[in-house]
Each structure stands twice: as C-alpha cells, then as structure tokens.
Amino acid sequence: MPTAFTGIFKRGFGTFPLRGEELKSAVRTAAEIGYRAFDTAQWYGNEADLGGVLPELGIDRASLQITTKVHPHNMSVDKFMPSVEQSLRDLKTERIDVLLLHWPPNDNPVEPSLTLLQEAYDKGYAKHIGVSNYTTTMMRAAVRCLDTKLAINQVEFHPLLNQDKVLATAAEVGISLGSYCSIARGEIFKYPVLGEIGESHGKSTAQVALRWIVQKGVALNTMSTKRANMRSNFDVMDFVLSLSDMQKIDALTTAGYRISNAATVPFAPTWD
Ligand SMILES: NC(=O)c1ccc[n+]([C@@H]2O[C@H](COP(=O)([O-])OP(=O)(O)OC[C@H]3O[C@@H](n4cnc5c(N)ncnc54)[C@H](OP(=O)(O)O)[C@@H]3O)[C@@H](O)[C@H]2O)c1
C-alpha cells in the first residue's frame, strides 16, 4: 500500500546482498507472502536477477514497485543516463518506479547529480525520484534545486540510531523517509526491552523494532532469506505500540549504533 504522501509502498523487500538463484528464490517467497515493493541498486549487481524473476511471478506490473539506485561512480554527465538505461534493460521495465541517487558525493555539492536525476525523470525513465543517505542540509538543497518533488530519502533507520533531525527536516521539506538496516542487521536482538514489549503484544523483537519505524512514519525495507522472517517482517500492520512503548524504544537510540559510516562506505557524508 502506498504511503499517503508520496506513493511509496510502506513495506519493501530489500535484495542486498542477494544474487542469482538465492535472490530469485527469496523474491518468489517474498511475493507469495505479499511484498510488492522490491529494492535493488546498480551497486548490488543483481538488477538483472530481479528483472529476470519479476515477470515470472504472475503479478501485474502495475502492482509492483521497483526501486533502484544510481551507483556513486555513475553520477557524471557521461555515465549517468547510460547507467539508468542499463538498469531499465536489466530490470526489464520501461520505467523505474522509484529511482534514487544511492549516495551523496560525501560533503560536496549535491546539485550536479540532482540535475541528472531530474533529467532522467524528464525523459520518463522514472515514475518517482528520490535520494538515499542525504543529510538535513542536502535535503534542503535538493528541494531548492529540483523542479520535481523528491519522493523519498532512504536512510539507515532502526531503534539504535537517533534520526530525529533527519525525520524532522524531511517532514519540514516534504520528503518521506524509507528505512534500511531496519533491524540493524541483528544488533537489535541484544536489547531485551524490545522482546518484553513484544510479549505484551504477542509479537517478536524484530516486529516491535519494525513497528516503531512504521509509527515514526517511515517506509520499511527489510531483507531476509528465510520465509518465517519475511512473514514476520511483513506482519507489522496489525498492532499498535503505545506512547510508553515508543518512549522506551526511543531511549535505545542513545546507543548511536550506525552501520553505514565513513569506515564502511567511502561516499558517506558527515552525518547530522
Ligand atoms: N540505501 C542504502 O545505502 C542501503 C544500505 C544498506 C541496505 N539497503 C537496502 O535495505 C535492505 C535491508 O537492509 P539490510 O539487509 O542491510 O539490513 P537488515 O534488514 O537490518 O538486516 C538483514 C539481516 O537480518 C536478518 N533478518 C531479517 N529479518 C529477520 C528477523 N525477523 N529475525 C531475525 N533476523 C532477521 C537477515 O537474515 P536471514 O536471511 O537469516 O533472515 C539478514 O541477514 C537491503 O537489502 C537493501 O535493499 C540500502
């Protein structure tokens, strides 16, 4: 189901680091469970695998939402459009539903790559455009320089990281947020309070973390190779965390656990 503001689906299935048969099998299972939004990137090297399996699912193309992201190395004038055209061919689609810039150019100006993204939109290559890993300063710069509204900023978002500033600025400038590393790649399981809250709702630790993200108004991206985990990550719309639950989880954000940083990604900017 799309979010109220931007048309971005609320639950997406991530595909990193899956490739080949492992990706295809995971996507088939995810689609059976009900996922209709699939997240890939030029960087993941799996767009052709995703493009190969989607037509086999027997799902009307209009019901699917494919997100892909332009590789940071393709953000020059000569490489940008050919890379997007290759993504279209690999994904076997005439239009990408959500086309993102994967990373900003560290702390350098964002306008040149945003101009190329706008051109791709103007050519009809994307239904929605957005960014990923943008800071508050970058989001403000983006709305100043673009003719088209950015649908989404996909950022690391989970209970062990305080993203209040990014969330507040996104709301202020009219960009929705999407999550990645939503269960902090398993780190959340070290925090028993999530399980305790889950017990009172008949839900798991992961479901509590994901529901906290949903109640922050952020669209989810999760990835799993296991049917049970995929199912569990999808079933987060049928319960509500109380204010007290939310506050207990908010308190975990002081952990300051960040997976994507300058040590792990060479394009990372200085975070808010
Ligand atoms: N824009 C960006 O820069 C960026 C960066 C990173 C990721 N992403 C996107 O976001 C997606 C999700 O992020 P992520 O995969 O890095 O991190 P994640 O969702 O926090 O963690 C995925 C890991 O958690 C396990 N898992 C998933 N659900 C579980 C559950 N309910 N219980 C226990 N374990 C569970 C999975 O293992 P099992 O297979 O064993 O379930 C997998 O190893 C990616 O696939 C990618 O599409 C985007």
PDB file of all heavy atoms in Angstrom, residues 13-17 39-40 44 69 102-103 132-133 154 179-186 189 206 221-226 229 232-233 260, ligand 1:
ATOM      1  N   PHE A  13      10.854  -5.078   0.071  1.00  0.00           N
ATOM      2  CA  PHE A  13      11.762  -6.198   0.283  1.00  0.00           C
ATOM      3  C   PHE A  13      13.121  -5.850  -0.311  1.00  0.00           C
ATOM      4  O   PHE A  13      13.252  -5.624  -1.517  1.00  0.00           O
ATOM      5  CB  PHE A  13      11.200  -7.473  -0.375  1.00  0.00           C
ATOM      6  CG  PHE A  13      12.022  -8.695  -0.081  1.00  0.00           C
ATOM      7  CD1 PHE A  13      11.933  -9.318   1.154  1.00  0.00           C
ATOM      8  CD2 PHE A  13      12.909  -9.200  -1.016  1.00  0.00           C
ATOM      9  CE1 PHE A  13      12.711 -10.423   1.453  1.00  0.00           C
ATOM     10  CE2 PHE A  13      13.693 -10.310  -0.729  1.00  0.00           C
ATOM     11  CZ  PHE A  13      13.590 -10.927   0.506  1.00  0.00           C
ATOM     12  N   GLY A  14      14.139  -5.775   0.536  1.00  0.00           N
ATOM     13  CA  GLY A  14      15.488  -5.432   0.090  1.00  0.00           C
ATOM     14  C   GLY A  14      16.175  -6.638  -0.533  1.00  0.00           C
ATOM     15  O   GLY A  14      15.885  -7.780  -0.184  1.00  0.00           O
ATOM     16  N   THR A  15      17.085  -6.381  -1.449  1.00  0.00           N
ATOM     17  CA  THR A  15      17.738  -7.507  -2.142  1.00  0.00           C
ATOM     18  C   THR A  15      19.249  -7.567  -1.933  1.00  0.00           C
ATOM     19  O   THR A  15      19.910  -8.448  -2.483  1.00  0.00           O
ATOM     20  CB  THR A  15      17.462  -7.456  -3.660  1.00  0.00           C
ATOM     21  OG1 THR A  15      18.048  -6.252  -4.180  1.00  0.00           O
ATOM     22  CG2 THR A  15      15.980  -7.523  -3.958  1.00  0.00           C
ATOM     23  N   PHE A  16      19.814  -6.668  -1.166  1.00  0.00           N
ATOM     24  CA  PHE A  16      21.251  -6.741  -0.897  1.00  0.00           C
ATOM     25  C   PHE A  16      21.504  -7.736   0.221  1.00  0.00           C
ATOM     26  O   PHE A  16      20.813  -7.669   1.242  1.00  0.00           O
ATOM     27  CB  PHE A  16      21.805  -5.368  -0.485  1.00  0.00           C
ATOM     28  CG  PHE A  16      23.262  -5.409  -0.128  1.00  0.00           C
ATOM     29  CD1 PHE A  16      24.229  -5.418  -1.113  1.00  0.00           C
ATOM     30  CD2 PHE A  16      23.651  -5.497   1.209  1.00  0.00           C
ATOM     31  CE1 PHE A  16      25.575  -5.500  -0.771  1.00  0.00           C
ATOM     32  CE2 PHE A  16      25.000  -5.574   1.554  1.00  0.00           C
ATOM     33  CZ  PHE A  16      25.952  -5.571   0.555  1.00  0.00           C
ATOM     34  N   PRO A  17      22.434  -8.658   0.101  1.00  0.00           N
ATOM     35  CA  PRO A  17      23.446  -8.869  -0.941  1.00  0.00           C
ATOM     36  C   PRO A  17      23.107 -10.064  -1.835  1.00  0.00           C
ATOM     37  O   PRO A  17      24.010 -10.768  -2.276  1.00  0.00           O
ATOM     38  CB  PRO A  17      24.688  -9.169  -0.111  1.00  0.00           C
ATOM     39  CG  PRO A  17      24.127  -9.969   1.056  1.00  0.00           C
ATOM     40  CD  PRO A  17      22.711  -9.493   1.292  1.00  0.00           C
ATOM     41  N   ASP A  39      13.552  -3.622  -3.592  1.00  0.00           N
ATOM     42  CA  ASP A  39      14.612  -2.613  -3.557  1.00  0.00           C
ATOM     43  C   ASP A  39      15.919  -3.211  -4.067  1.00  0.00           C
ATOM     44  O   ASP A  39      16.424  -4.198  -3.517  1.00  0.00           O
ATOM     45  CB  ASP A  39      14.797  -2.135  -2.105  1.00  0.00           C
ATOM     46  CG  ASP A  39      15.863  -1.067  -1.988  1.00  0.00           C
ATOM     47  OD1 ASP A  39      15.538   0.112  -2.179  1.00  0.00           O
ATOM     48  OD2 ASP A  39      17.035  -1.420  -1.714  1.00  0.00           O
ATOM     49  N   THR A  40      16.471  -2.590  -5.122  1.00  0.00           N
ATOM     50  CA  THR A  40      17.766  -3.036  -5.636  1.00  0.00           C
ATOM     51  C   THR A  40      18.633  -1.807  -5.867  1.00  0.00           C
ATOM     52  O   THR A  40      18.288  -0.689  -5.450  1.00  0.00           O
ATOM     53  CB  THR A  40      17.587  -3.881  -6.923  1.00  0.00           C
ATOM     54  OG1 THR A  40      18.878  -4.285  -7.408  1.00  0.00           O
ATOM     55  CG2 THR A  40      16.865  -3.124  -8.020  1.00  0.00           C
ATOM     56  N   TYR A  44      24.449  -3.341  -6.302  1.00  0.00           N
ATOM     57  CA  TYR A  44      24.249  -4.704  -5.791  1.00  0.00           C
ATOM     58  C   TYR A  44      24.576  -5.773  -6.843  1.00  0.00           C
ATOM     59  O   TYR A  44      24.708  -6.943  -6.510  1.00  0.00           O
ATOM     60  CB  TYR A  44      22.808  -4.915  -5.302  1.00  0.00           C
ATOM     61  CG  TYR A  44      22.328  -3.957  -4.229  1.00  0.00           C
ATOM     62  CD1 TYR A  44      20.979  -3.850  -3.917  1.00  0.00           C
ATOM     63  CD2 TYR A  44      23.215  -3.158  -3.513  1.00  0.00           C
ATOM     64  CE1 TYR A  44      20.524  -2.971  -2.941  1.00  0.00           C
ATOM     65  CE2 TYR A  44      22.774  -2.277  -2.540  1.00  0.00           C
ATOM     66  CZ  TYR A  44      21.431  -2.176  -2.263  1.00  0.00           C
ATOM     67  OH  TYR A  44      20.975  -1.307  -1.302  1.00  0.00           O
ATOM     68  N   LYS A  69      18.882   2.251  -7.563  1.00  0.00           N
ATOM     69  CA  LYS A  69      19.687   3.411  -7.155  1.00  0.00           C
ATOM     70  C   LYS A  69      20.893   3.534  -8.074  1.00  0.00           C
ATOM     71  O   LYS A  69      21.544   2.519  -8.388  1.00  0.00           O
ATOM     72  CB  LYS A  69      20.173   3.228  -5.711  1.00  0.00           C
ATOM     73  CG  LYS A  69      19.106   2.690  -4.764  1.00  0.00           C
ATOM     74  CD  LYS A  69      19.610   2.574  -3.339  1.00  0.00           C
ATOM     75  CE  LYS A  69      18.673   1.717  -2.509  1.00  0.00           C
ATOM     76  NZ  LYS A  69      18.826   0.257  -2.701  1.00  0.00           N
ATOM     77  N   HIS A 102      22.145   6.804  -4.981  1.00  0.00           N
ATOM     78  CA  HIS A 102      22.472   5.885  -3.872  1.00  0.00           C
ATOM     79  C   HIS A 102      23.199   6.573  -2.717  1.00  0.00           C
ATOM     80  O   HIS A 102      22.912   6.336  -1.546  1.00  0.00           O
ATOM     81  CB  HIS A 102      23.321   4.729  -4.406  1.00  0.00           C
ATOM     82  CG  HIS A 102      23.264   3.497  -3.561  1.00  0.00           C
ATOM     83  ND1 HIS A 102      23.463   2.235  -4.070  1.00  0.00           N
ATOM     84  CD2 HIS A 102      23.028   3.319  -2.239  1.00  0.00           C
ATOM     85  CE1 HIS A 102      23.358   1.344  -3.094  1.00  0.00           C
ATOM     86  NE2 HIS A 102      23.107   1.986  -1.965  1.00  0.00           N
ATOM     87  N   TRP A 103      24.168   7.428  -3.059  1.00  0.00           N
ATOM     88  CA  TRP A 103      24.939   8.138  -2.036  1.00  0.00           C
ATOM     89  C   TRP A 103      25.207   9.562  -2.504  1.00  0.00           C
ATOM     90  O   TRP A 103      25.393   9.783  -3.703  1.00  0.00           O
ATOM     91  CB  TRP A 103      26.283   7.442  -1.782  1.00  0.00           C
ATOM     92  CG  TRP A 103      26.128   6.235  -0.908  1.00  0.00           C
ATOM     93  CD1 TRP A 103      25.897   4.956  -1.322  1.00  0.00           C
ATOM     94  CD2 TRP A 103      26.147   6.207   0.515  1.00  0.00           C
ATOM     95  NE1 TRP A 103      25.763   4.119  -0.235  1.00  0.00           N
ATOM     96  CE2 TRP A 103      25.917   4.865   0.909  1.00  0.00           C
ATOM     97  CE3 TRP A 103      26.323   7.178   1.507  1.00  0.00           C
ATOM     98  CZ2 TRP A 103      25.867   4.474   2.251  1.00  0.00           C
ATOM     99  CZ3 TRP A 103      26.283   6.786   2.840  1.00  0.00           C
ATOM    100  CH2 TRP A 103      26.058   5.446   3.196  1.00  0.00           C
ATOM    101  N   SER A 132      19.187   8.876  -1.319  1.00  0.00           N
ATOM    102  CA  SER A 132      19.494   7.975  -0.210  1.00  0.00           C
ATOM    103  C   SER A 132      20.702   8.536   0.524  1.00  0.00           C
ATOM    104  O   SER A 132      21.604   9.104  -0.105  1.00  0.00           O
ATOM    105  CB  SER A 132      19.785   6.574  -0.757  1.00  0.00           C
ATOM    106  OG  SER A 132      20.036   5.685   0.303  1.00  0.00           O
ATOM    107  N   ASN A 133      20.666   8.389   1.818  1.00  0.00           N
ATOM    108  CA  ASN A 133      21.791   8.823   2.653  1.00  0.00           C
ATOM    109  C   ASN A 133      22.034  10.334   2.578  1.00  0.00           C
ATOM    110  O   ASN A 133      23.182  10.787   2.690  1.00  0.00           O
ATOM    111  CB  ASN A 133      23.059   8.045   2.260  1.00  0.00           C
ATOM    112  CG  ASN A 133      22.902   6.564   2.484  1.00  0.00           C
ATOM    113  OD1 ASN A 133      22.664   6.133   3.606  1.00  0.00           O
ATOM    114  ND2 ASN A 133      22.999   5.768   1.417  1.00  0.00           N
ATOM    115  N   GLN A 154      16.068   7.467   1.431  1.00  0.00           N
ATOM    116  CA  GLN A 154      16.248   6.164   2.093  1.00  0.00           C
ATOM    117  C   GLN A 154      17.490   6.250   2.978  1.00  0.00           C
ATOM    118  O   GLN A 154      18.587   6.526   2.475  1.00  0.00           O
ATOM    119  CB  GLN A 154      16.398   5.055   1.040  1.00  0.00           C
ATOM    120  CG  GLN A 154      16.389   3.669   1.655  1.00  0.00           C
ATOM    121  CD  GLN A 154      16.626   2.568   0.632  1.00  0.00           C
ATOM    122  OE1 GLN A 154      17.690   1.950   0.584  1.00  0.00           O
ATOM    123  NE2 GLN A 154      15.630   2.289  -0.193  1.00  0.00           N
ATOM    124  N   SER A 179      13.407   3.272   5.286  1.00  0.00           N
ATOM    125  CA  SER A 179      14.454   2.714   6.160  1.00  0.00           C
ATOM    126  C   SER A 179      15.330   1.718   5.417  1.00  0.00           C
ATOM    127  O   SER A 179      14.886   1.063   4.475  1.00  0.00           O
ATOM    128  CB  SER A 179      13.812   1.979   7.336  1.00  0.00           C
ATOM    129  OG  SER A 179      13.222   0.761   6.901  1.00  0.00           O
ATOM    130  N   TYR A 180      16.580   1.617   5.872  1.00  0.00           N
ATOM    131  CA  TYR A 180      17.378   0.408   5.584  1.00  0.00           C
ATOM    132  C   TYR A 180      18.087   0.002   6.856  1.00  0.00           C
ATOM    133  O   TYR A 180      18.140   0.785   7.820  1.00  0.00           O
ATOM    134  CB  TYR A 180      18.315   0.608   4.385  1.00  0.00           C
ATOM    135  CG  TYR A 180      19.533   1.489   4.569  1.00  0.00           C
ATOM    136  CD1 TYR A 180      20.641   1.072   5.291  1.00  0.00           C
ATOM    137  CD2 TYR A 180      19.581   2.739   3.985  1.00  0.00           C
ATOM    138  CE1 TYR A 180      21.768   1.863   5.436  1.00  0.00           C
ATOM    139  CE2 TYR A 180      20.705   3.555   4.130  1.00  0.00           C
ATOM    140  CZ  TYR A 180      21.792   3.106   4.853  1.00  0.00           C
ATOM    141  OH  TYR A 180      22.904   3.902   5.003  1.00  0.00           O
ATOM    142  N   CYS A 181      18.601  -1.222   6.855  1.00  0.00           N
ATOM    143  CA  CYS A 181      19.162  -1.806   8.090  1.00  0.00           C
ATOM    144  C   CYS A 181      18.153  -1.655   9.236  1.00  0.00           C
ATOM    145  O   CYS A 181      18.515  -1.288  10.369  1.00  0.00           O
ATOM    146  CB  CYS A 181      20.503  -1.181   8.445  1.00  0.00           C
ATOM    147  SG  CYS A 181      21.801  -1.580   7.263  1.00  0.00           S
ATOM    148  N   SER A 182      16.906  -1.976   8.941  1.00  0.00           N
ATOM    149  CA  SER A 182      15.798  -1.702   9.866  1.00  0.00           C
ATOM    150  C   SER A 182      15.894  -2.502  11.165  1.00  0.00           C
ATOM    151  O   SER A 182      15.344  -2.093  12.182  1.00  0.00           O
ATOM    152  CB  SER A 182      14.470  -2.009   9.172  1.00  0.00           C
ATOM    153  OG  SER A 182      14.448  -1.442   7.882  1.00  0.00           O
ATOM    154  N   ILE A 183      16.553  -3.668  11.112  1.00  0.00           N
ATOM    155  CA  ILE A 183      16.781  -4.395  12.372  1.00  0.00           C
ATOM    156  C   ILE A 183      18.266  -4.352  12.732  1.00  0.00           C
ATOM    157  O   ILE A 183      18.772  -5.193  13.488  1.00  0.00           O
ATOM    158  CB  ILE A 183      16.247  -5.845  12.323  1.00  0.00           C
ATOM    159  CG1 ILE A 183      16.950  -6.673  11.245  1.00  0.00           C
ATOM    160  CG2 ILE A 183      14.742  -5.883  12.097  1.00  0.00           C
ATOM    161  CD1 ILE A 183      16.826  -8.165  11.475  1.00  0.00           C
ATOM    162  N   ALA A 184      18.930  -3.332  12.171  1.00  0.00           N
ATOM    163  CA  ALA A 184      20.357  -3.120  12.458  1.00  0.00           C
ATOM    164  C   ALA A 184      21.158  -4.407  12.260  1.00  0.00           C
ATOM    165  O   ALA A 184      22.067  -4.716  13.033  1.00  0.00           O
ATOM    166  CB  ALA A 184      20.559  -2.546  13.861  1.00  0.00           C
ATOM    167  N   ARG A 185      20.778  -5.136  11.197  1.00  0.00           N
ATOM    168  CA  ARG A 185      21.439  -6.412  10.848  1.00  0.00           C
ATOM    169  C   ARG A 185      21.585  -7.340  12.060  1.00  0.00           C
ATOM    170  O   ARG A 185      22.604  -8.013  12.227  1.00  0.00           O
ATOM    171  CB  ARG A 185      22.783  -6.154  10.173  1.00  0.00           C
ATOM    172  CG  ARG A 185      22.593  -5.449   8.832  1.00  0.00           C
ATOM    173  CD  ARG A 185      23.793  -5.439   7.964  1.00  0.00           C
ATOM    174  NE  ARG A 185      23.484  -4.822   6.686  1.00  0.00           N
ATOM    175  CZ  ARG A 185      24.350  -4.148   5.937  1.00  0.00           C
ATOM    176  NH1 ARG A 185      25.592  -4.027   6.327  1.00  0.00           N
ATOM    177  NH2 ARG A 185      23.983  -3.612   4.794  1.00  0.00           N
ATOM    178  N   GLY A 186      20.576  -7.319  12.912  1.00  0.00           N
ATOM    179  CA  GLY A 186      20.535  -8.257  14.036  1.00  0.00           C
ATOM    180  C   GLY A 186      20.975  -7.666  15.356  1.00  0.00           C
ATOM    181  O   GLY A 186      20.748  -8.260  16.422  1.00  0.00           O
ATOM    182  N   PHE A 189      18.705  -7.466  18.569  1.00  0.00           N
ATOM    183  CA  PHE A 189      18.384  -8.614  19.428  1.00  0.00           C
ATOM    184  C   PHE A 189      19.153  -8.588  20.749  1.00  0.00           C
ATOM    185  O   PHE A 189      18.882  -9.366  21.656  1.00  0.00           O
ATOM    186  CB  PHE A 189      18.627  -9.931  18.670  1.00  0.00           C
ATOM    187  CG  PHE A 189      17.728 -10.063  17.470  1.00  0.00           C
ATOM    188  CD1 PHE A 189      18.230  -9.982  16.176  1.00  0.00           C
ATOM    189  CD2 PHE A 189      16.353 -10.204  17.637  1.00  0.00           C
ATOM    190  CE1 PHE A 189      17.391 -10.067  15.076  1.00  0.00           C
ATOM    191  CE2 PHE A 189      15.496 -10.281  16.537  1.00  0.00           C
ATOM    192  CZ  PHE A 189      16.019 -10.207  15.257  1.00  0.00           C
ATOM    193  N   ALA A 206      11.857  -8.380  16.448  1.00  0.00           N
ATOM    194  CA  ALA A 206      12.001  -7.706  15.139  1.00  0.00           C
ATOM    195  C   ALA A 206      10.722  -6.950  14.799  1.00  0.00           C
ATOM    196  O   ALA A 206      10.770  -5.816  14.294  1.00  0.00           O
ATOM    197  CB  ALA A 206      12.325  -8.729  14.054  1.00  0.00           C
ATOM    198  N   ASN A 221      12.133  -1.049   4.663  1.00  0.00           N
ATOM    199  CA  ASN A 221      12.804  -2.006   3.778  1.00  0.00           C
ATOM    200  C   ASN A 221      13.428  -3.057   4.665  1.00  0.00           C
ATOM    201  O   ASN A 221      14.184  -2.717   5.585  1.00  0.00           O
ATOM    202  CB  ASN A 221      13.899  -1.325   2.937  1.00  0.00           C
ATOM    203  CG  ASN A 221      13.304  -0.533   1.804  1.00  0.00           C
ATOM    204  OD1 ASN A 221      12.664  -1.092   0.923  1.00  0.00           O
ATOM    205  ND2 ASN A 221      13.482   0.769   1.834  1.00  0.00           N
ATOM    206  N   THR A 222      13.086  -4.310   4.416  1.00  0.00           N
ATOM    207  CA  THR A 222      13.705  -5.400   5.167  1.00  0.00           C
ATOM    208  C   THR A 222      14.196  -6.449   4.175  1.00  0.00           C
ATOM    209  O   THR A 222      13.707  -6.521   3.052  1.00  0.00           O
ATOM    210  CB  THR A 222      12.689  -6.067   6.122  1.00  0.00           C
ATOM    211  OG1 THR A 222      11.579  -6.540   5.361  1.00  0.00           O
ATOM    212  CG2 THR A 222      12.218  -5.089   7.181  1.00  0.00           C
ATOM    213  N   MET A 223      15.151  -7.241   4.623  1.00  0.00           N
ATOM    214  CA  MET A 223      15.656  -8.314   3.770  1.00  0.00           C
ATOM    215  C   MET A 223      15.812  -9.576   4.600  1.00  0.00           C
ATOM    216  O   MET A 223      16.290  -9.526   5.736  1.00  0.00           O
ATOM    217  CB  MET A 223      17.027  -7.929   3.187  1.00  0.00           C
ATOM    218  CG  MET A 223      17.534  -8.867   2.107  1.00  0.00           C
ATOM    219  SD  MET A 223      18.066 -10.504   2.623  1.00  0.00           S
ATOM    220  CE  MET A 223      19.566 -10.153   3.530  1.00  0.00           C
ATOM    221  N   SER A 224      15.366 -10.683   4.052  1.00  0.00           N
ATOM    222  CA  SER A 224      15.619 -11.965   4.692  1.00  0.00           C
ATOM    223  C   SER A 224      15.661 -13.044   3.623  1.00  0.00           C
ATOM    224  O   SER A 224      15.031 -12.913   2.578  1.00  0.00           O
ATOM    225  CB  SER A 224      14.522 -12.289   5.717  1.00  0.00           C
ATOM    226  OG  SER A 224      14.746 -13.586   6.227  1.00  0.00           O
ATOM    227  N   THR A 225      16.387 -14.104   3.938  1.00  0.00           N
ATOM    228  CA  THR A 225      16.399 -15.270   3.053  1.00  0.00           C
ATOM    229  C   THR A 225      15.454 -16.346   3.586  1.00  0.00           C
ATOM    230  O   THR A 225      15.315 -17.395   2.981  1.00  0.00           O
ATOM    231  CB  THR A 225      17.820 -15.861   2.985  1.00  0.00           C
ATOM    232  OG1 THR A 225      18.256 -16.112   4.334  1.00  0.00           O
ATOM    233  CG2 THR A 225      18.788 -14.907   2.301  1.00  0.00           C
ATOM    234  N   LYS A 226      14.839 -16.080   4.742  1.00  0.00           N
ATOM    235  CA  LYS A 226      14.032 -17.113   5.400  1.00  0.00           C
ATOM    236  C   LYS A 226      12.546 -16.739   5.381  1.00  0.00           C
ATOM    237  O   LYS A 226      12.180 -15.632   5.788  1.00  0.00           O
ATOM    238  CB  LYS A 226      14.486 -17.281   6.852  1.00  0.00           C
ATOM    239  CG  LYS A 226      15.939 -17.691   6.967  1.00  0.00           C
ATOM    240  CD  LYS A 226      16.278 -18.097   8.385  1.00  0.00           C
ATOM    241  CE  LYS A 226      17.695 -18.629   8.460  1.00  0.00           C
ATOM    242  NZ  LYS A 226      18.715 -17.561   8.430  1.00  0.00           N
ATOM    243  N   ASN A 229      11.070 -15.297   8.632  1.00  0.00           N
ATOM    244  CA  ASN A 229      11.467 -13.910   8.918  1.00  0.00           C
ATOM    245  C   ASN A 229      10.786 -12.934   7.960  1.00  0.00           C
ATOM    246  O   ASN A 229      10.359 -11.853   8.361  1.00  0.00           O
ATOM    247  CB  ASN A 229      12.983 -13.757   8.841  1.00  0.00           C
ATOM    248  CG  ASN A 229      13.687 -14.408  10.023  1.00  0.00           C
ATOM    249  OD1 ASN A 229      13.039 -14.773  11.008  1.00  0.00           O
ATOM    250  ND2 ASN A 229      14.996 -14.568   9.925  1.00  0.00           N
ATOM    251  N   SER A 232       7.266 -12.581   9.190  1.00  0.00           N
ATOM    252  CA  SER A 232       7.238 -11.810  10.433  1.00  0.00           C
ATOM    253  C   SER A 232       7.477 -10.317  10.146  1.00  0.00           C
ATOM    254  O   SER A 232       6.783  -9.443  10.682  1.00  0.00           O
ATOM    255  CB  SER A 232       8.313 -12.406  11.345  1.00  0.00           C
ATOM    256  OG  SER A 232       8.646 -11.545  12.341  1.00  0.00           O
ATOM    257  N   ASN A 233       8.408 -10.014   9.251  1.00  0.00           N
ATOM    258  CA  ASN A 233       8.711  -8.611   8.934  1.00  0.00           C
ATOM    259  C   ASN A 233       7.556  -7.939   8.191  1.00  0.00           C
ATOM    260  O   ASN A 233       7.418  -6.717   8.216  1.00  0.00           O
ATOM    261  CB  ASN A 233       9.985  -8.522   8.076  1.00  0.00           C
ATOM    262  CG  ASN A 233      11.208  -9.038   8.807  1.00  0.00           C
ATOM    263  OD1 ASN A 233      11.196  -9.198  10.024  1.00  0.00           O
ATOM    264  ND2 ASN A 233      12.267  -9.317   8.068  1.00  0.00           N
ATOM    265  N   SER A 260      26.306   2.291   8.439  1.00  0.00           N
ATOM    266  CA  SER A 260      26.903   2.971   7.275  1.00  0.00           C
ATOM    267  C   SER A 260      27.640   4.218   7.741  1.00  0.00           C
ATOM    268  O   SER A 260      27.009   5.213   8.124  1.00  0.00           O
ATOM    269  CB  SER A 260      25.804   3.375   6.287  1.00  0.00           C
ATOM    270  OG  SER A 260      25.295   2.248   5.643  1.00  0.00           O
TER     271      SER A 260
HETATM  272  N1  LIG B   1      20.411   2.864   0.569  1.00  0.00           N
HETATM  273  C1  LIG B   1      21.443   2.260   1.128  1.00  0.00           C
HETATM  274  O1  LIG B   1      22.556   2.812   1.210  1.00  0.00           O
HETATM  275  C2  LIG B   1      21.250   0.871   1.684  1.00  0.00           C
HETATM  276  C3  LIG B   1      22.218   0.332   2.549  1.00  0.00           C
HETATM  277  C4  LIG B   1      22.010  -0.957   3.062  1.00  0.00           C
HETATM  278  C5  LIG B   1      20.864  -1.673   2.724  1.00  0.00           C
HETATM  279  N2  LIG B   1      19.946  -1.119   1.861  1.00  0.00           N
HETATM  280  C6  LIG B   1      18.707  -1.867   1.479  1.00  0.00           C
HETATM  281  O2  LIG B   1      17.958  -2.168   2.633  1.00  0.00           O
HETATM  282  C7  LIG B   1      17.705  -3.585   2.696  1.00  0.00           C
HETATM  283  C8  LIG B   1      17.616  -4.033   4.152  1.00  0.00           C
HETATM  284  O3  LIG B   1      18.808  -3.712   4.869  1.00  0.00           O
HETATM  285  P1  LIG B   1      19.863  -4.797   5.315  1.00  0.00           P
HETATM  286  O4  LIG B   1      19.509  -6.071   4.633  1.00  0.00           O
HETATM  287  O5  LIG B   1      21.204  -4.259   5.108  1.00  0.00           O
HETATM  288  O6  LIG B   1      19.693  -4.904   6.880  1.00  0.00           O
HETATM  289  P2  LIG B   1      18.624  -5.540   7.879  1.00  0.00           P
HETATM  290  O7  LIG B   1      17.263  -5.649   7.245  1.00  0.00           O
HETATM  291  O8  LIG B   1      18.754  -4.791   9.150  1.00  0.00           O
HETATM  292  O9  LIG B   1      19.219  -6.993   8.183  1.00  0.00           O
HETATM  293  C9  LIG B   1      19.137  -8.060   7.294  1.00  0.00           C
HETATM  294  C10 LIG B   1      19.636  -9.299   8.056  1.00  0.00           C
HETATM  295  O10 LIG B   1      18.766  -9.536   9.158  1.00  0.00           O
HETATM  296  C11 LIG B   1      18.288 -10.886   9.140  1.00  0.00           C
HETATM  297  N3  LIG B   1      16.849 -10.827   9.446  1.00  0.00           N
HETATM  298  C12 LIG B   1      15.893 -10.231   8.700  1.00  0.00           C
HETATM  299  N4  LIG B   1      14.696 -10.332   9.315  1.00  0.00           N
HETATM  300  C13 LIG B   1      14.904 -11.004  10.471  1.00  0.00           C
HETATM  301  C14 LIG B   1      14.062 -11.411  11.529  1.00  0.00           C
HETATM  302  N5  LIG B   1      12.753 -11.149  11.515  1.00  0.00           N
HETATM  303  N6  LIG B   1      14.604 -12.090  12.574  1.00  0.00           N
HETATM  304  C15 LIG B   1      15.940 -12.336  12.595  1.00  0.00           C
HETATM  305  N7  LIG B   1      16.799 -11.979  11.617  1.00  0.00           N
HETATM  306  C16 LIG B   1      16.284 -11.313  10.563  1.00  0.00           C
HETATM  307  C17 LIG B   1      18.542 -11.419   7.765  1.00  0.00           C
HETATM  308  O11 LIG B   1      18.993 -12.742   7.858  1.00  0.00           O
HETATM  309  P3  LIG B   1      18.086 -14.005   7.404  1.00  0.00           P
HETATM  310  O12 LIG B   1      18.256 -14.090   5.916  1.00  0.00           O
HETATM  311  O13 LIG B   1      18.713 -15.124   8.143  1.00  0.00           O
HETATM  312  O14 LIG B   1      16.671 -13.730   7.819  1.00  0.00           O
HETATM  313  C18 LIG B   1      19.654 -10.522   7.217  1.00  0.00           C
HETATM  314  O15 LIG B   1      20.907 -11.124   7.414  1.00  0.00           O
HETATM  315  C19 LIG B   1      18.856  -4.184   1.885  1.00  0.00           C
HETATM  316  O16 LIG B   1      18.562  -5.483   1.453  1.00  0.00           O
HETATM  317  C20 LIG B   1      18.990  -3.184   0.767  1.00  0.00           C
HETATM  318  O17 LIG B   1      17.988  -3.431  -0.235  1.00  0.00           O
HETATM  319  C21 LIG B   1      20.120   0.147   1.365  1.00  0.00           C
END
